[in-house]
Amino acid sequence: MNTQEVANKWVDMCRQGQNLQAINELYADDVVSKEMPGMPDGLHTGIKEVYKKSEDWLANVAEFHGGDISDPIVAGSFFTTKMSFDVTFKDRGRQQMEEVCVFGVKNGKIASEQFFYDMPEM
């Protein structure tokens, strides 16, 4: 798959709530995931770590109230989307967030992801 095809498939799967399946299907074994600087556990390497990070995040959700993922914008081997969500977490209550997600694609797989967002009030 080329970058546009990977981007479209990632967006489609995530919009359907298939986030973990998207990791299994679309991510490279040696993927690197970066959160905002200063976040605990802000760097994850390898598909198993990235899967576990997402699995833990989803397990901490008490209720989804809403959210959106924009259509992807592709430039070369990169694509970006804007994600927003309104979620009640088990450990920190309800939060609304927006983030810009940037993905790098190599050999038809997501090789890197990085997230940019304002830190919510805790």
Side-chain angles (χ1 to χ4, degrees):
M1 284 190 285
N2 65 32
T3 302
Q4 185 70 61
E5 292 167 334
V6 171
N8 291 342
K9 186 152 186 137
W10 183 89
V11 167
D12 288 343
M13 292 181 82
C14 290
R15 285 178 177 165
Q16 295 175 40
Q18 299 174 340
N19 304 58
L20 296 176
Q21 296 94 321
I23 293 169
N24 282 333
E25 186 173 329
L26 300 174
Y27 283 45
D29 289 341
D30 59 350
V31 63
V32 175
S33 177
K34 295 179 184 177
E35 294 291 333
M36 291 295 293
M39 285 295 295
D41 298 318
L43 178 65
H44 297 272
T45 56
I47 195 168
K48 288 181 182 178
E49 279 191 28
V50 172
Y51 186 96
K52 177 82 168 102
K53 173 187 80 157
S54 295
E55 186 178 51
D56 291 347
W57 190 92
L58 290 166
N60 190 32
V61 172
E63 185 176 356
F64 280 102
H65 306 284
D68 187 51
I69 301 173
S70 71
D71 290 337
I73 298 171
V74 175
S77 62
F78 293 91
F79 73 94
T80 186
T81 64
K82 175 190 167 196
M83 289 197 316
S84 62
F85 60 85
D86 181 358
V87 175
T88 298
F89 291 100
K90 295 174 184 174
D91 67 348
R92 59 184 183 259
R94 191 167 179 174
Q95 292 182 333
Q96 295 83 36
M97 286 186 67
E98 292 182 315
E99 62 186 327
V100 173
C101 315
V102 179
F103 300 88
V105 176
K106 184 177 179 183
N107 298 322
K109 296 282 187 177
I110 295 173
S112 64
E113 63 179 14
Q114 188 166 3
F115 305 100
F116 300 91
Y117 47 88
D118 291 324
M119 299 300 295
E121 297 293 323
M122 298 292 212

